[in-house]
Amino acid sequence: MSELPPSLNPPVRTLLGPGPSDIHPRVLRALAANTVGHLDPYYLSLMNDMQQMLRATFRTANPLTLAISATGSAGMESTVVNLIEPGDSMVVCVNGVFGGRMVDVAERAGARVTRVERPWGEVFEPADLKDALVKARPKVVGIVQAETSTGAWQPLEEISKLVHDAGALLLVDAVTALGGIPVEVDRWGIDAIYSGTQKCLSCPPGLAPASFSPRAVEVILQRKTKVQSWYLDVGMLAQYWGSERVYHHTAPINMTYALYEALRILHEEGLDAAQARHLRNHRALKAGLAAIGIEYTTQAGRELPQLNAVRIPAGVDDLQVRSALLNRFGIEIGGGLGAFKGKVWRIGLMGHGSRESNVLQLLGALELLLQEAGHKFAHGASVAAANAVYAGG
Ligand SMILES: *Cc1c(COP(=O)(O)O)cnc(C)c1O
């Protein structure tokens, strides 16, 4: 080449959007460690340790717990295509983008899909599912625990009982949930669950932790047809993750290092302590935003601590504020998706990104930008309100 493109030099950002989130420096160092082979004894023992940490993170004893080599959407696809055979009935709960995506994935897998809907920003009550469970007699019910498009925190315990009473399996999207809020796979009886590395686990995107209950494994073993996807067939993947170590595809070695280190960091802090930290920073952010007239769009009492969906104040230009945050302060927040485009900001406080310094920095910058746009508040009102929360415990 006569002229090479510039050498790699990504700007330093504070990632406070819907993901990817800020990455811990230890995880970045893990990514840069020397690569070994995917059947190297060192790597296999790392995989075992990581699998144990994944089980602890999902709070499950499920033997079939693994990391799918692709992003969260492949986690979704892996759970759906392994449980669904063409013609099977599946109920999907849709109250945002990701429930909608699950419908699409299930239909492509040949499911007869019944959608149960709630308005964006709201969650499902068990009663909302009763009709569909009776009429559709589903094999699988899919639901999103943390709807990243709306900031809604879906309770699962009662719904799980109802789904099992109807003889169906419960499939849960925990992409944004895992690491940020409680996820109790065994206690709640979740049959298939997947996550992603770039939300509250604070890794780069690229792996999808997933877990299948013994009941789900039984259903997979009883299949009459081959799993539609070769790459995501967990029956074959289990032979690599199990003691046989049969080659399936080349594992993304360095991403496994990253997830290993990220899970170590999470368990050093402790799951409960990490969740308490997410809650505390959410409360500080919420108080700070309220002080400058910014309100949440999510159903009251169901706001996710790690994904704060807020109404853009009247007269404020969405893109102008978000580009100023990025260009002047190096802060990324998310815009709205679908019906929320131009109306909602999505502020992620995920994993390593859920820190006092990030909350105070964002509030200070946002307040300045809104003041420059002519909005009037007492100087420092948002930071003061957040600090009051921090000072109060
Ligand atoms: C981000 C996200 C996904 C998709 O994950 P990708 O890593 O972008 O493929 C699925 N579900 C939810 C709830 C998400 O937040």
Side-chain angles (χ1 to χ4, degrees):
M1 282 178 83
S2 56
E3 209 180 320
L4 282 175
S7 73
L8 185 75
N9 189 22
V12 176
R13 304 289 196 213
T14 302
L15 297 176
L16 303 182
S21 60
D22 270 359
I23 295 171
H24 197 289
R26 273 171 60 188
V27 174
L28 290 175
R29 284 199 295 276
L31 273 170
N34 47 296
T35 304
V36 298
H38 65 282
L39 294 172
D40 190 294
Y42 177 81
Y43 186 71
L44 296 179
S45 111
L46 195 83
M47 267 175 89
N48 281 344
D49 291 342
M50 187 179 78
Q51 196 175 31
Q52 282 305 339
M53 288 195 287
L54 280 180
R55 290 192 185 107
T57 312
F58 278 126
R59 298 227 161 128
T60 184
N62 288 342
L64 186 52
T65 301
L66 72 175
I68 303 284
S69 305
T71 68
S73 303
M76 182 187 289
E77 195 129 15
S78 74
T79 49
V80 173
V81 300
N82 281 280
L83 294 177
I84 290 292
E85 294 191 64
D88 284 344
S89 168
M90 178 165 173
V91 166
V92 181
C93 302
V94 182
N95 57 350
V97 166
F98 294 103
R101 182 174 298 181
M102 197 188 284
V103 169
D104 195 359
V105 168
E107 285 176 347
R108 287 164 191 252
R112 289 179 288 117
V113 176
T114 305
R115 292 170 75 111
V116 182
E117 303 204 37
R118 290 294 301 165
W120 282 38
E122 295 184 16
V123 299
F124 292 88
E125 297 300 328
D128 298 324
L129 272 78
K130 277 196 174 134
D131 256 15
L133 289 175
V134 172
K135 287 193 188 129
R137 299 170 48 79
K139 180 184 191 183
V140 179
V141 175
I143 194 163
V144 179
Q145 190 186 359
E147 208 2 299
T148 321
S149 61
T150 69
W153 180 349
Q154 175 66 52
L156 293 174
E157 232 174 326
E158 280 183 57
I159 284 180
S160 174
K161 284 197 196 89
L162 208 66
V163 166
H164 290 130
D165 288 347
L169 297 171
L170 181 65
L171 190 167
V172 171
D173 177 321
V175 174
T176 288
L178 196 66
I181 55 174
V183 177
E184 297 281 349
V185 170
D186 287 358
R187 203 146 67 72
W188 298 342
I190 296 170
D191 293 297
I193 189 164
Y194 58 90
S195 187
T197 41
Q198 79 277 23
K199 312 274 168 108
C200 293
L201 299 178
S202 305
C203 266
L207 287 176
S211 187
F212 294 81
S213 73
R215 194 163 27 194
V217 171
E218 200 50 45
V219 166
I220 295 170
L221 289 173
Q222 307 277 319
R223 290 180 64 102
K224 296 188 184 65
T225 57
K226 273 190 178 180
V227 174
Q228 159 227 314
S229 164
W230 179 88
Y231 192 66
L232 300 174
D233 182 331
V234 291
M236 291 197 286
L237 290 172
Q239 293 183 14
Y240 175 52
W241 283 81
S243 51
E244 307 92 318
R245 301 297 180 191
V246 178
Y247 162 72
H248 180 259
H249 65 272
T250 311
I253 314 293
N254 291 56
M255 265 308 294
T256 307
Y257 295 168
L259 181 54
Y260 175 90
E261 194 63 6
L263 292 172
R264 271 208 92 213
I265 293 168
L266 179 58
H267 289 281
E268 273 168 25
E269 181 181 15
L271 283 180
D272 294 343
Q275 287 156 18
R277 171 170 54 79
H278 279 84
L279 214 48
R280 183 172 140 90
N281 288 318
H282 161 73
R283 285 175 45 229
L285 177 72
K286 192 173 194 186
L289 292 171
I292 52 175
I294 297 180
E295 290 167 351
Y296 282 62
T297 53
T298 312
Q299 182 180 336
R302 297 294 182 214
E303 302 94 338
L304 286 168
Q306 66 271 50
L307 194 287
N308 300 265
V310 300
R311 187 167 293 108
I312 301 173
V316 170
D317 184 328
D318 173 22
L319 270 183
Q320 202 179 326
V321 170
R322 281 194 291 127
S323 29
L325 279 174
L326 192 70
N327 297 325
R328 281 172 61 186
F329 301 96
I331 299 173
E332 177 182 283
I333 65 168
L337 292 177
F340 282 3
K341 192 170 191 296
K343 300 192 179 108
V344 167
W345 284 325
R346 291 180 302 151
I347 303 169
L349 294 174
M350 298 183 179
H352 180 60
S354 178
R355 300 201 300 283
E356 291 181 356
S357 54
N358 282 348
V359 170
L360 297 176
Q361 198 189 354
L362 172 65
L363 288 173
L366 196 57
E367 183 173 322
L368 177 62
L369 291 174
L370 293 180
Q371 275 173 343
E372 286 175 0
H375 294 255
K376 303 224 179 324
F377 327 99
H379 268 300
S382 66
V383 170
N387 277 340
V389 170
Y390 288 133

